[in-house]
Amino acid sequence: MSLHEILLTLLSALALAHAACYTTGEKWHDDKAYALGLADQACDGSGGRLAGRYLQHEGAREVCQNRAGRRVRLSVRRLPPELPMVPDYGDMILKPDDCGKMVKKEIDGCEHGGRSVQLENVYVFQADIDAGNCDKELPPKNLRRRRPSSNPLPFDTR
């Protein structure tokens, strides 16, 4: 897939919805509490992989854990400022509290997991559960629009 095709796909996704729930695949069920705890660890300010300084053109950060034949995958991606409607703030700090709240929103708000563009259209937060292991790539899931948050959280631009 060319860069042009990737950008068009991303722009289409942004235009369709800022927040969406997956409609297929595994459901959280008993793993919901585990996923919420993993979000706390992944966004922890003292070593969590998802929070902290994001460089202007940094790709996605991901945490994936295998659990009883299923994988729990959490990720945060900084959108590049070259995309329309994405502000150019330079390097940014994603606060641990903001990270945790946004990732947990995808777990609590969607029974199959979900993804959303949040914090001033700069970050994409995603939480997903699927059958299989973290080292196995799975096909894309179907999405359904979810009502976007009316109260975006603050963020640092240091």
Side-chain angles (χ1 to χ4, degrees), residues 32-44:
K32 187 173 188 175
Y34 176 81
L36 292 169
L38 182 61
D40 284 334
Q41 292 173 3
C43 290
D44 180 81

Side-chain angles (χ1 to χ4, degrees), residues 26-44 50 63-68 70-75 99-114 126-130:
E26 298 285 319
K27 294 183 180 181
W28 293 112
H29 296 298
D30 295 337
D31 290 322
K32 187 173 188 175
Y34 176 81
L36 292 169
L38 182 61
D40 284 334
Q41 292 173 3
C43 290
D44 180 81
L50 300 182
V63 172
C64 190
Q65 294 285 318
N66 295 321
R67 182 161 167 82
R70 299 181 344 151
R71 71 176 187 181
V72 175
R73 187 170 53 95
L74 311 175
S75 68
C99 176
K101 287 175 188 174
M102 295 292 96
V103 172
K104 287 179 177 181
K105 185 184 214 180
E106 304 310 316
I107 298 166
D108 281 331
C110 299
E111 65 182 344
H112 296 277
Q126 182 175 358
D128 193 13
I129 186 161
D130 278 305

Side-chain angles (χ1 to χ4, degrees), residues 29-140:
H29 296 298
D30 295 337
D31 290 322
K32 187 173 188 175
Y34 176 81
L36 292 169
L38 182 61
D40 284 334
Q41 292 173 3
C43 290
D44 180 81
S46 61
R49 179 158 165 65
L50 300 182
R53 180 175 298 280
Y54 276 77
L55 303 177
Q56 190 172 23
H57 290 91
E58 184 172 340
R61 296 182 190 177
E62 180 176 291
V63 172
C64 190
Q65 294 285 318
N66 295 321
R67 182 161 167 82
R70 299 181 344 151
R71 71 176 187 181
V72 175
R73 187 170 53 95
L74 311 175
S75 68
V76 176
R77 183 177 70 227
R78 167 94 190 267
L79 293 174
E82 294 82 16
L83 294 176
M85 299 184 308
V86 176
D88 185 357
Y89 294 123
D91 296 353
M92 293 179 63
I93 305 279
L94 177 59
K95 296 177 187 177
D97 287 346
D98 294 343
C99 176
K101 287 175 188 174
M102 295 292 96
V103 172
K104 287 179 177 181
K105 185 184 214 180
E106 304 310 316
I107 298 166
D108 281 331
C110 299
E111 65 182 344
H112 296 277
R115 72 173 179 222
S116 62
V117 178
Q118 298 288 335
L119 301 179
E120 304 294 328
N121 289 334
V122 175
Y123 295 102
V124 177
F125 296 90
Q126 182 175 358
D128 193 13
I129 186 161
D130 278 305
N133 293 314
C134 292
D135 59 354
K136 180 183 173 191
E137 193 60 38
L138 296 174

